[in-house]
Amino acid sequence: MKFAPAGTFSATGPDMTVLTAQRLLMADSVAGYCTYDGKAFVKSGGVSGNFQVTAGGSNYTSGATAAISGGSGSAPRRASR
């Protein structure tokens, strides 16, 4: 199975474990912390492919605000830019 471009990981490869039988978690000296869910490979600092835009809008004159909801965390999170 190939899910990351050549050279992403160190020559020795990452340490890996499976989280709740749904997600592969990796730690590597070159790639840092990464995750793969069978569809999206995300490196540390990357953005999940699991976002859904519900009202994209147009003609913004200033930065938009994004709300992140759902997930399995114990507290709601908000992000804005």
Side-chain angles (χ1 to χ4, degrees):
M1 170 188 306
K2 182 176 179 180
F3 54 84
T8 299
F9 299 107
S10 63
T12 58
D15 291 326
M16 293 185 271
T17 190
V18 176
L19 175 67
T20 65
Q22 298 176 9
R23 184 170 300 277
L24 184 62
L25 303 176
M26 296 157 273
D28 184 75
S29 61
V30 172
Y33 293 105
C34 308
T35 182
Y36 179 68
D37 66 0
K39 295 179 185 175
F41 172 70
V42 181
K43 290 176 65 174
S44 181
V47 177
S48 170
N50 298 326
F51 285 99
Q52 179 181 10
V53 177
T54 57
S58 62
N59 301 319
Y60 285 105
T61 58
S62 61
T65 298
I68 300 171
S69 62
S72 60
S74 60
R77 303 281 189 248
R78 266 197 189 270
S80 62
R81 180 173 165 98

